[in-house]
Amino acid sequence: QVQLVESGGGLVQTGGSLRLSCAASGSIFSINRMGWYRQAPGKKRELVASTSSGGSTNYADSVKGRFTISRDNAKNAVYFQMNSLKPEDTAVYYCYAEFSYYSGGSYYQAWGQGTQVTVSS
């Protein structure tokens, strides 16, 4: 059983900052990519940012320059620093991890429970 536990969401005013954290635990041999999706009411879930075990990162155009993803491989954790928040960033944010149970094994995807981020105008 692999679990991802998120923390750090909340209510913030436009221009403010929040930091999300996500830690994976369970029978994990290795984690490839970790990242964050978000889903706003009435919209599809979208990939916001991801990072590889080697540290390469990808961002959605809408958050480039404002959000920063980072990772602690030793802790199986991923973080998301969100600055200059806008009302359109309001959504439930989900972390995910692509993990394997053993060396050479297939990769599976695990999801966090989601954390609400609300940006007031």
Side-chain angles (χ1 to χ4, degrees):
Q1 186 87 8
V2 172
Q3 290 187 320
L4 271 61
V5 178
E6 304 168 9
S7 61
L11 173 65
V12 66
Q13 291 185 334
T14 296
S17 298
L18 284 173
R19 178 178 168 87
L20 306 183
S21 299
C22 174
S25 63
S27 302
I28 298 170
F29 174 77
S30 69
I31 298 178
N32 183 18
R33 298 198 73 82
M34 300 185 80
W36 296 89
Y37 278 76
R38 68 184 180 187
Q39 187 167 21
K43 294 189 176 181
K44 293 181 180 179
R45 188 175 294 191
E46 63 170 345
L47 178 63
V48 187
S50 66
T51 179
S52 70
S53 57
S56 65
T57 58
N58 290 292
Y59 295 93
D61 288 342
S62 58
V63 306
K64 283 180 181 177
R66 300 188 298 124
F67 294 5
T68 302
I69 189 169
S70 60
R71 179 169 170 174
D72 186 334
N73 290 329
K75 295 182 178 179
N76 286 337
V78 64
Y79 308 99
F80 207 28
Q81 179 66 42
M82 303 186 294
N83 299 329
S84 302
L85 283 159
K86 304 175 181 180
E88 51 264 43
D89 295 318
T90 295
V92 178
Y93 284 71
Y94 299 89
C95 71
Y96 81 96
E98 296 173 352
F99 70 96
S100 64
Y101 288 111
Y102 53 88
S103 177
S106 299
Y107 278 90
Y108 300 88
Q109 202 164 60
W111 291 88
Q113 78 280 8
T115 185
Q116 178 70 47
V117 170
T118 303
V119 185
S120 64
S121 58

